[in-house]
Amino acid sequence: MLIEQRPSDDSEVIALVVDQQVELRARDGGREGHVYSVDPAARYLVAVVGGEAVACGALLAIDLDAAEVTRLYVRPGYRGRGLGRRMLAALEDLAASRGHRVLRLEAGVTASEAIALFLGAGYRPIPRFGRYVKYEGSRCFEKRFDEAGRDLSVMRRAVTDPGVAELVTLAADETAHRYGDPQARRFPLDPRAKFVLASVGGVAAGCGAIQPLDDQTVEVKRMYVRPAYRGNGIARRLLALLEDLAAGSHYLFIRLETGARQPESIRLYESAGYRPIPPYGPYVHSPLSLCYEKLVIAPEPIASELG
């Protein structure tokens, strides 16, 4: 998958917006007629899969501090694969790059999937704003980005990198404390593992890796975010970039394992489109292991995000 910026008069942007309008009207009559056309002032992003534009979203400045996410749409045939979440993350990156610290958005009361996406991505309900004030069928949301989140960078790193090594050790210590056993859940790491490291203001804040299982499948390993940096979307960003890395290495599937006593990890993976599978490999005889798998639909990585 490639996410790229397009002008508002781009033919594929217009086609996606029209399709969204048609679907809205079929679902709820356009929510009392409030369906809007392409806005030339908005900055549009398009997701391209196999040469076809399959999703879009736009960023519309409200003022110097705030912007609105609008026109977030994924074609029906591509839903359920994490595209909406990836588009939303890309729009957040675009907003941060333009100096916005607050993002707002709106969804119709009948758009349960969109509302679940926004809540899962850290958006909080707010009173209706702007043009939505008069529409009883509108639900509005907001997300604020602190300075730490805006200083986030994610880069490829070797397993020997001091930041990676420190985080891996912290993850092992936390796991031992949570499960009450220093040897709990000590599963091996393949020397071919490829790491990404998230840094905030120069501090190693989180990491994750993929390692090969076979010629079609990789496994996510050593996902960890320091407690002080949790709740800011770093784990979700790391996971998305590991998926890009897997896709760029031509793998079709991603698997992972987490523990039954890690509910926050379970929520992250399930909300990102991972589906439960039977235990595999070293986890077959691990009673506390929960295993998941996801199809990688992206044929290309977003190389700029990987540094």
Side-chain angles (χ1 to χ4, degrees), residues 4-295:
E4 57 188 18
Q5 191 166 335
R6 299 278 186 90
S8 60
D9 60 355
D10 178 84
S11 61
E12 290 186 304
V13 167
I14 294 171
L16 285 163
V17 169
V18 169
D19 287 348
Q20 183 189 42
Q21 289 181 337
V22 170
E23 186 172 330
L24 284 173
R25 291 184 184 280
R27 175 185 292 184
D28 55 16
R31 298 202 302 278
E32 302 176 12
H34 107 178
V35 175
Y36 301 98
S37 59
V38 173
D39 189 331
R43 296 178 178 272
Y44 285 84
L45 297 181
V46 169
V48 180
V49 175
E52 178 186 2
V54 300
C56 68
L59 188 71
L60 182 64
I62 297 174
D63 53 38
L64 290 177
D65 199 48
E68 179 186 353
V69 171
T70 185
R71 289 300 182 211
L72 190 59
Y73 178 71
V74 179
R75 291 194 187 280
Y78 290 85
R79 293 175 189 170
R81 309 181 191 183
L83 267 175
R85 197 171 301 277
R86 299 281 289 282
M87 287 296 300
L88 185 58
L91 288 163
E92 291 175 355
D93 286 343
L94 178 60
S97 73
R98 300 192 62 76
H100 297 296
R101 300 177 59 185
V102 180
L103 275 183
R104 294 175 184 161
L105 47 80
E106 181 269 355
V109 67
T110 62
S112 56
E113 305 93 340
I115 292 172
L117 168 64
F118 302 147
L119 292 174
Y123 288 78
R124 298 292 177 260
I126 60 171
R128 295 192 300 274
F129 65 91
R131 61 180 179 265
Y132 309 113
V133 170
K134 63 181 179 180
Y135 293 107
E136 294 292 334
S138 286
R139 296 292 179 268
C140 294
F141 301 86
E142 182 180 271
K143 185 174 182 179
R144 292 179 175 269
F145 301 92
D146 61 21
E147 290 303 317
R150 288 157 56 82
D151 291 338
L152 174 69
S153 64
V154 183
M155 304 287 286
R156 285 276 304 277
R157 288 292 184 263
V159 67
T160 55
D161 180 88
V164 169
E166 179 188 10
L167 291 169
V168 168
T169 299
L170 289 173
D173 291 345
E174 183 173 325
T175 298
H177 177 76
R178 185 173 297 204
Y179 288 86
D181 180 358
Q183 298 304 314
R185 306 178 48 70
R186 293 293 182 108
F187 299 111
L189 183 69
D190 192 299
R192 296 172 293 170
K194 298 178 180 180
F195 270 86
V196 291
L197 176 69
S199 298
V200 176
V203 176
C207 68
I210 54 170
Q211 66 181 26
L213 293 179
D214 56 43
D215 60 356
Q216 291 189 320
T217 311
V218 292
E219 180 181 21
V220 172
K221 298 288 288 183
R222 303 298 191 264
M223 279 282 292
Y224 180 75
V225 176
R226 288 181 189 270
Y229 293 93
R230 293 174 188 172
N232 293 314
I234 293 176
R236 196 171 298 279
R237 178 76 63 82
L238 285 167
L239 186 60
L241 294 182
L242 289 170
E243 292 173 1
D244 284 341
L245 187 56
S249 299
H250 307 292
Y251 289 101
L252 297 179
F253 300 95
I254 295 183
R255 288 183 177 177
L256 55 82
E257 180 271 354
T258 190
R261 298 177 187 172
Q262 294 165 253
E264 63 285 336
S265 297
I266 295 169
R267 287 194 297 270
L268 169 66
Y269 299 140
E270 292 184 347
S271 69
Y274 287 78
R275 298 293 179 259
I277 60 172
Y280 60 91
Y283 317 115
V284 170
H285 301 296
S286 174
L288 292 175
S289 287
L290 301 173
C291 296
Y292 294 84
E293 184 179 84
K294 182 177 181 179
L295 173 66

